[in-house]
Amino acid sequence: MVSVWEKETFYAPQDIIIIGSGFVGLWSAFYLKKRNPGIKITIVDRGIVPTGASTRNAGFACFGSLTELLADEQKMGTDNMLSLVEMRYRGLEKIRAVFSKKQIDMEMCGGYELFPTDEDFLEEDLMEQITYLNHLLKPIVKKKTYTPADKSIRGFGFSNINHLVRNNLEGYLHPGRLTRKLLQTLQSSGVQVLNGVEIKKITEAGSQVSLESNLPVPLTATRVLIGVNGFAKQLLPDLDVEPARGQVLVTSPIKKLPWKGTFHYQQGFYYFRNLGDRVLLGGARNIAIEAEHTFSQETTSLIQDELENFLRTVILPGKQFTIEHRWSGTMGIGQEKTPIIRELSPSVFCCVRMSGMGVALAPVLGEKMAKMMTA
Ligand SMILES: Cc1cc2nc3c(=O)[nH]c(=O)nc-3n(C[C@H](O)[C@H](O)[C@H](O)COP(=O)(O)OP(=O)(O)OC[C@H]3O[C@@H](n4cnc5c(N)ncnc54)[C@H](O)[C@@H]3O)c2cc1C
């Protein structure tokens, strides 16, 4: 039983309930409030703090490495690849427009892609690809995106690397601080955030949607947004969204770390960046693709050992370090790489399947969702 006071405050019918307080849910609420400051919004998340990918990622503020975009172009065609790049690039611009660099530790310091010695990349082919993609991306980014950077390999101290290509326009941020800033902004504009609430069933009755959860009475709203990304199958079993676990580690401080920025390897299956003078490394999902399709947020020795091996043989050969943090998070992927933005009924909407790109995509998708849901 709930008290009349609880009923009239926390359980009061809302205009919009958002399920999931990851970047998609938070940016959607941000733009909904911007469009209509008086709108009543509740965001629910089953975590005591948000426990999706948004607070467990690597914090790359990126829109695609050279080989990632070329592979995307092969799979989805030039126009679709470019529209995804544009969404990511505009998303990064939006983050910078709303929050200061200092608030979210954002730095557009540039990134790199590494090409290993055991893969036969000819310098001429790389140069051709760089010129080709720079030309394609120019109308979106207005600048030169990629430049060859082989001359940095030695200074960076990498081993078993033949080529390096720099992306001049990417960088990194602190996903925890971005989440907190978004939450603070939303709460100060009147958005109610309820943590520890797991939505189990969504029922539509007339013009109301009722949400059953672990709370003693259902929450109700006129419209609902499902923004649970990799967990979508648990609420929407028919959608093409599979959980994909991403595992990460962070080293102890490295004496005189000779590089700074974001780094991609093997079409993004490995990624690392500096975190001050520490190294954050994630990936290696490709060595256990099936096993990593899991909702579990444990780490495994198979992947963690592979990551450590990569540190010792490629990134930090000969350097002393220990591993200080390990964790994993859940991405949402499917047959296609594009996000699923859908009106499931006039009252229920979803925005899921971020395919490991949600930091940059979420502001643009949030704005789209706000338009769709208030049309
Ligand atoms: C290890 C790792 C590294 C990554 N690195 C990067 C990167 O560097 N750059 C980048 O752009 N992207 C990266 N990503 C991807 C990016 O983090 C995601 O695409 C993005 O955060 C997804 O945001 P979201 O809001 O859609 O989902 P999430 O952040 O996953 O949020 C979904 C929320 O829904 C909640 N939820 C789920 N089910 C329910 C329910 N039934 N009831 C209530 N709440 C529920 C969860 O608790 C969760 O908080 C990475 C992801 C991982 C895992």
Side-chain angles (χ1 to χ4, degrees):
M1 298 293 258
V2 297
S3 74
V4 67
W5 320 121
E6 288 163 343
K7 192 167 177 224
E8 289 177 3
T9 47
F10 307 111
Y11 297 94
Q14 299 290 291
D15 296 315
I16 292 186
I17 293 180
I18 297 174
I19 309 173
S21 67
F23 289 139
V24 165
L26 298 175
W27 281 110
S28 299
F30 179 88
Y31 284 107
L32 280 161
K33 269 283 175 193
K34 204 166 173 193
R35 280 174 82 81
N36 178 357
I39 198 165
K40 280 189 273 173
I41 303 177
T42 287
I43 306 177
V44 296
D45 199 289
R46 65 183 172 194
I48 302 298
V49 294
T51 37
S54 298
T55 47
R56 307 191 137 242
N57 61 57
F60 281 35
C62 62
F63 56 90
S65 71
L66 188 82
T67 59
E68 181 192 352
L69 296 191
L70 290 170
D72 285 355
E73 188 187 22
Q74 286 285 318
K75 267 189 231 141
M76 57 173 88
T78 310
D79 288 349
N80 288 336
M81 177 274 281
L82 287 176
S83 78
L84 208 49
V85 168
E86 178 148 26
M87 270 201 273
R88 294 167 80 178
Y89 192 72
R90 301 281 169 253
L92 297 177
E93 286 181 330
K94 282 179 188 297
I95 296 173
R96 282 190 285 172
V98 175
F99 298 111
S100 72
K101 290 178 188 172
K102 205 170 160 209
Q103 284 174 321
I104 56 172
D105 283 356
M106 188 167 188
E107 214 181 320
M108 301 312 277
C109 48
Y112 298 83
E113 179 164 14
L114 300 92
F115 294 81
T117 38
D118 58 2
E119 287 179 22
D120 229 2
F121 288 101
L122 294 176
E123 203 169 337
E124 310 86 82
D125 292 348
L126 265 186
M127 282 309 300
E128 207 175 290
Q129 291 171 342
I130 289 172
T131 309
Y132 172 70
L133 266 189
N134 278 344
H135 176 71
L136 276 186
L137 300 189
K138 187 82 186 277
I140 299 171
V141 304
K142 309 282 185 255
K143 293 176 197 137
K144 194 188 263 189
T145 307
Y146 303 106
T147 44
D150 286 1
K151 57 181 185 317
S152 299
I153 297 174
R154 255 179 94 103
F156 286 178
F158 297 147
S159 208
N160 302 316
I161 295 301
N162 244 359
H163 300 293
L164 208 55
V165 172
R166 181 175 158 86
N167 180 334
N168 301 305
L169 308 178
E170 71 175 40
Y172 45 53
L173 51 75
H174 191 307
R177 293 208 174 126
L178 175 56
T179 301
R180 194 172 56 192
K181 280 314 292 181
L182 277 163
L183 280 167
Q184 284 169 348
T185 307
L186 292 171
Q187 282 169 315
S188 66
S189 71
V191 172
Q192 167 169 260
V193 180
L194 299 177
N195 286 107
V197 177
E198 177 163 11
I199 302 302
K200 301 198 168 136
K201 198 169 167 203
I202 303 169
T203 314
E204 291 178 68
S207 59
Q208 285 289 299
V209 188
S210 169
L211 302 179
E212 274 174 45
S213 68
N214 48 327
L215 292 172
V217 290
L219 295 166
T220 56
T222 314
R223 291 187 167 181
V224 166
L225 169 61
I226 304 171
V228 299
N229 196 36
F231 308 101
K233 269 242 137 63
Q234 296 170 340
L235 287 172
L236 302 165
D238 296 334
L239 282 194
D240 171 31
V241 188
E242 294 295 332
R245 179 168 59 188
Q247 300 195 31
V248 178
L249 56 74
V250 173
T251 67
S252 53
I254 309 293
K255 231 179 178 178
K256 295 196 181 136
L257 187 67
W259 47 262
K260 181 177 180 177
T262 51
F263 293 78
H264 310 253
Y265 181 80
Q266 282 194 349
Q267 286 180 29
F269 270 117
Y270 294 72
Y271 43 88
F272 60 96
R273 56 171 279 186
N274 71 299
L275 188 55
D277 55 0
R278 296 173 290 171
V279 177
L280 181 156
L281 165 67
R285 199 168 57 80
N286 52 326
I287 67 163
I289 286 278
E290 282 311 313
E292 294 305 295
H293 280 306
T294 172
F295 291 113
S296 159
Q297 293 193 339
E298 299 293 307
T299 56
T300 64
S301 53
L302 178 73
I303 301 273
Q304 293 288 324
D305 289 351
E306 168 64 17
L307 291 175
E308 279 193 51
N309 182 48
F310 187 67
L311 273 176
R312 286 182 214 289
T313 53
V314 178
I315 312 178
L316 299 169
K319 298 244 188 241
Q320 294 294 318
F321 60 85
T322 54
I323 306 302
E324 292 195 338
H325 301 274
R326 299 179 197 271
W327 71 87
S328 78
T330 313
M331 293 176 278
I333 63 169
Q335 296 300 321
E336 289 176 40
K337 204 174 166 182
T338 43
I340 301 176
I341 313 164
R342 206 170 285 169
E343 184 174 334
L344 300 168
S345 77
S347 312
V348 181
F349 299 73
C350 77
C351 181
V352 293
R353 196 172 69 188
M354 295 302 118
S355 304
M357 307 174 292
V359 175
L361 284 179
V364 170
L365 297 179
E367 193 171 26
K368 274 185 202 276
M369 291 319 301
K371 269 191 204 143
M372 256 173 99
M373 295 183 75
T374 49

